[in-house]
Amino acid sequence: MTKKRILFVVNPVSGGKKKTAFNKQVLEVLDLSRFEPTFKTTNHVNHAFELAQQAIDEKYDAVIAVGGDGTINEIGSALAGTDTPLGIIPEGSGNGLALYLGIPMNESAALRRINRFDSVAVDCAKVGDERFFNIAGMGFDASVSDKFANETFRGPVGYLRTVINVLSNYKPKKYRFTIDGKSYEREAFMISVANSPQYGNNAYIAPNASITDGLLDVCIVHKFPLYTLPMMIFHLFNKTADQSEYVEIIPGKHIIIEQEGKDPVHLDGEPKDLGQRIEIEVMEKALNIIC
């Protein structure tokens, strides 16, 4: 039987975790009678995308993202529209997509999922030449992502510290939307366009979102009094954000959002400069994910 060739793309800085023993663990857990692993480490922005493209050209049977949602985004963007599946070993600060898919946070358990080699076809979203698979956003959470990208202190604690710092002086902004041809205007604290329900760390902004329904959920978080912040956080972690009076969710396939300035937009947690007008379309069943 010919072994399946698998490329592990390791982000050495994701989640603030050291991964020096990862290769050894793969060799202990992966079924080496069926799989032939290769390891490559990223060392610059978009390197994971480049390595995944090379893997397609070199006819690898799967590419495994060893990192967080940003690493998954780069590799998934290369693999979308191909038959090459993406595997995930969650090593990020939030791991939103992996948590939603039920992929274990434990490395050995996640590797055993790779051994099963079962996959599901999922939707992704297209933003010009960019893609996202979990959540895109603008406003407050994009400002957090932009600041967090430049922090040296990573991991969930570092992320929480960044959230608190940005929250202290953030002001809501005005947006214009066109969702499947219908127009809206809103002043919002933040906008999340959700393919899956959660940001990560089990914080659910769009409890009813699904990565296989051909829709995106546009979640508009309106300005809210600061004293209601504990209840907003409760809703996030209790999967009831849609029940908050300050949250409006509009599903759609074709979304245009216009912002007043040129503030950053995040795609799967990675800040991007996409200008004032952002056009988003669903790509149905575009990527196979091993889960």
Side-chain angles (χ1 to χ4, degrees):
M1 182 178 69
T2 303
K3 293 183 181 181
K4 292 187 182 296
R5 298 170 62 237
I6 295 182
L7 175 63
F8 287 85
V9 176
V10 182
N11 181 339
V13 299
S14 63
K17 304 173 187 175
K18 291 185 178 179
K19 303 173 186 69
T20 50
F22 178 75
N23 294 15
K24 180 175 180 288
Q25 189 169 20
V26 170
L27 298 177
E28 291 173 352
V29 178
L30 194 69
D31 184 351
L32 299 180
S33 69
R34 297 168 54 220
F35 302 106
E36 179 185 329
T38 300
F39 303 92
K40 293 186 180 179
T41 301
T42 61
N43 56 34
H44 59 262
V45 174
N46 223 38
H47 196 190
F49 177 84
E50 295 164 7
L51 293 173
Q53 283 192 317
Q54 291 173 17
I56 296 167
D57 294 338
E58 294 169 7
K59 303 290 191 286
Y60 274 87
D61 295 291
V63 181
I64 314 301
V66 186
D69 287 329
T71 308
I72 292 167
N73 178 284
E74 287 192 23
I75 295 172
S77 295
L79 301 183
T82 76
D83 293 328
T84 307
L86 164 73
I88 300 172
I89 308 297
E91 298 282 6
S93 299
N95 302 306
L97 190 59
L99 283 165
Y100 171 66
L101 290 168
I103 295 171
M105 296 297 104
N106 175 274
E107 287 179 351
S108 293
L111 285 165
R112 286 193 287 273
R113 290 290 181 95
I114 305 299
N115 281 335
R116 289 181 359 191
F117 215 73
D118 293 332
S119 66
V120 60
V122 306
D123 303 333
C124 78
K126 177 182 178 183
V127 190
D129 294 332
E130 307 272 4
R131 306 285 184 270
F132 69 89
F133 302 87
N134 193 45
I135 291 178
M138 56 188 67
F140 173 74
D141 63 337
S143 295
V144 170
S145 296
D146 190 44
K147 185 172 176 58
F148 186 62
N150 298 309
E151 293 284 349
T152 54
F153 190 59
R154 307 295 289 178
V157 175
Y159 189 79
L160 179 60
R161 187 171 71 175
T162 304
V163 167
I164 293 169
N165 288 340
V166 175
L167 183 62
S168 62
N169 55 17
Y170 187 80
K171 305 295 183 197
K173 298 179 180 178
K174 293 181 179 178
Y175 301 89
R176 289 190 299 274
F177 305 82
T178 305
I179 303 172
D180 290 346
K182 188 173 180 181
S183 298
Y184 307 81
E185 288 190 16
R186 299 287 188 272
E187 183 179 42
F189 179 74
M190 68 180 192
I191 312 294
S192 293
V193 182
N195 189 35
S196 92
Q198 66 159 290
Y199 293 120
N201 296 312
N202 291 313
Y204 285 76
I205 185 61
N208 298 312
S210 166
I211 58 174
T212 58
D213 65 356
L215 291 170
L216 299 169
D217 282 15
V218 182
C219 307
I220 304 165
V221 179
H222 299 284
K223 181 180 180 180
F224 57 88
L226 197 57
Y227 71 82
T228 65
L229 182 60
M231 180 55 70
M232 298 291 285
I233 294 171
F234 171 80
H235 280 307
L236 275 178
F237 288 96
N238 200 43
K239 302 183 184 180
T240 55
D242 57 332
Q243 296 177 25
S244 169
E245 63 183 296
Y246 301 108
V247 177
E248 178 182 8
I249 299 178
I250 307 169
K253 292 176 177 285
H254 183 204
I255 298 149
I256 299 170
I257 305 175
E258 296 173 85
Q259 54 180 348
E260 290 185 323
K262 293 184 178 180
D263 293 327
V265 176
H266 82 79
L267 304 180
D268 291 337
E270 299 299 312
K272 307 279 185 179
D273 181 7
L274 299 179
Q276 290 180 274
R277 184 181 186 275
I278 297 93
E279 185 169 1
I280 306 169
E281 294 182 270
V282 178
M283 298 172 62
E284 294 189 42
K285 306 293 190 293
L287 177 67
N288 295 308
I289 299 183
I290 299 167
C291 59

